[in-house]
Amino acid sequence: MENTVLELLHYNKSSITVHLSETYAEYTHIQSCFLLDKNIFAYSFFLLFLLEFVTVLGKKQVKAGEDVTFRCEADTEDLPVTWEKKGQRLCCVEGKHKTGKNGTNISLEIKNVDLGDEGNYTVTIKNSSGSASCSAMLIVEIPEWRTVQWKQETMVSTLKSFKISAENVRELRFLLHGPVGAGKSSIINTIKSIFEGHQYINCLTASDLTGESFTTKYEKYNVGNVPFTFHDVMGLEKEQSKGVHTNDIINALKGHISKDYTFKPLDPINEDNRYYILNPTLNDQIHCLVSVIPADKISMMDDEVIQKMKEIRAAASKLGIPQVVFITRVDKVCEMTEKDITKLYQSRKIKEKMMECSNRLGVTMNCIFPVKNYSEETKANEKLNCLMLEALTQIVHSANDFVKKNSNQLKKE
């Protein structure tokens, strides 16, 4: 029985029970089996040689202009090999791509990598019984196109000693607005964590699961001992019956709304409301509007929400209020950035998201700042802090220019 593939175990009129030798168990498919008599039965089978990779493709991250080679090893020689990029058959270009197959070793070399080469690469091997595939990502670092100071001490010290260029202005006021779940409240938490020296989580944030805004009132947050305050509002939504009303944000920009006003989507504030400031001063007004957009949701944002943001920006422009955009959740759209935040401005995906944001909102690229908020972290992260501090420094100077200009105009009057 040493070479027996099938061994009869049991039979009756309607069924036959057989034992398949372990030697063939992984590769054999029984086509037919029938009993000739109690000692003799016939069967037929064919072998399925299941394909496997001994080693698979590995993720590659290279700088533009460098060469890169993907390698893997199959468990069988002399198999047809096909390569795909982003789900489409790879069209090999002479002098650019070079495929190789040496025994069980398979390779793909790409010369002088550029941005167009970035993507997911898949190699497939086949035989008459089936196929096997493995994939890996090629990430291309572009030349750094914006620099960041990756040491926070100097920036923190400069901001702590910052003096507002207007004697009658006590604090620079920033209003954050954007869709639900964009990270407005998380930005405030992150900035307060930097200046207060511990993780600050008192500013509740919207849940990705519920899609509902925790912010229902006009909230004001001071930051340590620096003369900056951040104002948080309910998130924007496409339905008229949900989310903050655009008129409420515009009135907040003008300084007509005081702290703790409760937002009502269908009933924006009016002069009869006890939270309405009839004659706001420069100290009541907003000095810089910060639009907050999540990087991983820019493409999916409803046009109605975008239009509301444009209306708010248009009102801010009429008031002369400077405007910037903070793009959050950058680590969710770029694996390279998720691994190393200092590679942010070498990421093609991040730049594409910034350009998309620029096109949809009508904001110039130099007014868009990618940031990352504290979310999973429980300890301070200097690199994360520096990215936020760079953005904060920019809006502080923009707000200061605004109050300086308006303060001088008031003096002339």
Side-chain angles (χ1 to χ4, degrees):
M1 296 290 291
E2 186 176 351
N3 295 321
T4 300
V5 177
L6 291 178
E7 180 183 355
L8 181 63
L9 297 181
H10 170 76
Y11 72 95
N12 58 34
K13 291 182 179 180
S14 60
S15 67
I16 299 172
T17 302
V18 298
H19 174 261
L20 179 61
S21 170
E22 291 183 3
T23 305
Y24 298 91
E26 187 177 0
Y27 309 106
T28 308
H29 174 75
I30 306 301
Q31 282 187 314
S32 63
C33 182
F34 55 91
L35 188 66
L36 298 179
D37 61 41
K38 67 177 183 179
N39 294 317
I40 304 173
F41 62 98
Y43 57 85
S44 64
F45 65 92
F46 59 88
L47 297 180
L48 296 177
F49 292 99
L50 302 180
L51 299 174
E52 291 183 343
F53 284 97
V54 178
T55 60
V56 297
L57 300 177
K59 180 182 67 178
K60 301 292 183 179
Q61 181 174 314
V62 298
K63 295 180 179 180
E66 294 181 345
D67 299 340
V68 66
T69 302
F70 285 108
R71 290 187 176 89
C72 62
E73 183 180 357
D75 63 352
T76 309
E77 298 184 20
D78 301 324
L79 294 173
V81 177
T82 58
W83 285 90
E84 292 182 348
K85 175 190 172 188
K86 298 180 180 178
Q88 301 294 322
R89 191 180 182 92
L90 179 65
C91 296
C92 292
V93 177
E94 186 177 357
K96 177 71 173 178
H97 305 99
K98 182 180 179 182
T99 60
K101 188 172 65 171
N102 182 13
T104 58
N105 295 305
I106 302 168
S107 64
L108 169 65
E109 183 181 9
I110 306 174
K111 295 280 190 180
N112 192 25
V113 168
D114 58 35
L115 293 180
D117 295 316
E118 187 170 272
N120 195 58
Y121 287 79
T122 302
V123 60
T124 302
I125 53 177
K126 295 181 179 181
N127 65 11
S128 58
S129 303
S131 63
S133 300
C134 62
S135 301
M137 187 72 184
L138 172 60
I139 299 174
V140 181
E141 297 179 20
I142 61 177
E144 190 173 34
W145 53 277
R146 187 185 287 182
T147 58
V148 175
Q149 182 180 339
W150 295 112
K151 294 291 184 181
Q152 70 178 54
E153 184 178 357
T154 300
M155 287 187 285
V156 170
S157 176
T158 300
L159 290 169
K160 282 185 174 180
S161 61
F162 188 86
K163 302 296 182 183
I164 300 173
S165 301
E167 295 179 359
N168 57 333
V169 176
R170 299 184 300 272
E171 58 198 18
L172 297 179
R173 295 161 56 89
F174 304 92
L175 187 146
L176 281 65
H177 81 116
V180 173
K184 303 180 298 297
S185 300
S186 294
I187 287 173
I188 296 171
N189 285 340
T190 299
I191 293 174
K192 287 181 70 67
S193 295
I194 294 171
F195 285 93
E196 297 183 10
H198 63 87
Q199 288 287 310
Y200 184 86
I201 55 174
N202 289 343
C203 185
L204 296 178
T205 60
S207 167
D208 286 337
L209 298 177
T210 64
E212 297 179 356
S213 178
F214 274 118
T215 305
T216 58
K217 293 184 176 182
Y218 188 50
E219 304 281 4
K220 176 183 176 181
Y221 295 92
N222 296 310
V223 179
N225 295 320
V226 295
F228 317 135
T229 61
F230 291 84
H231 299 260
D232 198 9
V233 299
M234 178 183 279
L236 291 165
E237 299 189 47
K238 65 177 181 179
E239 294 90 352
Q240 293 298 322
S241 60
K242 292 183 179 181
V244 64
H245 197 289
T246 54
N247 286 348
D248 274 343
I249 296 182
I250 293 170
N251 274 310
L253 292 175
K254 295 177 179 178
H256 288 304
I257 300 181
S258 59
K259 179 185 174 183
D260 292 331
Y261 163 72
T262 299
F263 296 106
K264 298 177 181 178
L266 295 176
D267 186 21
I269 198 169
N270 57 48
E271 293 183 11
D272 297 327
N273 193 296
R274 68 188 183 94
Y275 290 97
Y276 189 89
I277 300 173
L278 188 60
N279 297 304
T281 67
L282 189 57
N283 274 303
D284 299 312
Q285 298 171 19
I286 294 299
H287 307 138
C288 182
L289 174 67
V290 181
S291 302
V292 183
I293 300 289
D296 57 335
K297 298 178 182 178
I298 294 175
S299 302
M300 299 178 287
M301 281 182 60
D302 193 276
D303 289 339
E304 291 183 35
V305 174
I306 293 293
Q307 184 57 39
K308 288 181 178 182
M309 296 185 75
K310 286 183 175 180
E311 290 175 9
I312 295 165
R313 289 191 61 252
S317 295
K318 289 182 179 179
L319 296 169
I321 297 174
Q323 305 149 51
V324 299
V325 176
F326 281 10
I327 296 184
T328 58
R329 299 168 63 92
V330 292
D331 54 316
K332 303 298 182 184
V333 297
C334 176
E335 188 175 349
M336 179 171 69
T337 300
E338 180 183 22
K339 183 179 178 181
D340 184 357
I341 196 70
T342 65
K343 300 284 189 181
L344 181 83
Y345 290 118
Q346 293 174 263
S347 167
R348 174 190 180 185
K349 287 187 178 179
I350 297 299
K351 191 168 188 177
E352 286 177 346
K353 289 298 180 182
M354 292 175 65
M355 293 173 67
E356 183 178 4
C357 180
S358 174
N359 292 333
R360 295 202 71 184
L361 279 181
V363 182
T364 58
M365 288 283 282
N366 63 348
C367 291
I368 300 176
F369 300 93
V371 297
K372 184 182 184 308
N373 293 320
Y374 281 107
S375 55
E376 300 175 353
E377 299 85 356
T378 58
K379 295 182 179 180
N381 182 323
E382 185 174 27
K383 305 305 181 186
L384 184 156
N385 291 351
C386 287
L387 200 59
M388 184 64 74
L389 287 166
E390 284 277 350
L392 177 59
T393 299
Q394 293 296 323
I395 65 173
V396 164
H397 286 297
S398 295
N400 188 59
D401 290 341
F402 173 78
V403 297
K404 181 180 180 180
K405 177 182 177 181
N406 283 271
S407 179
N408 290 337
Q409 288 180 345
L410 289 174
K411 288 180 180 179
K412 292 178 181 179
E413 294 175 359

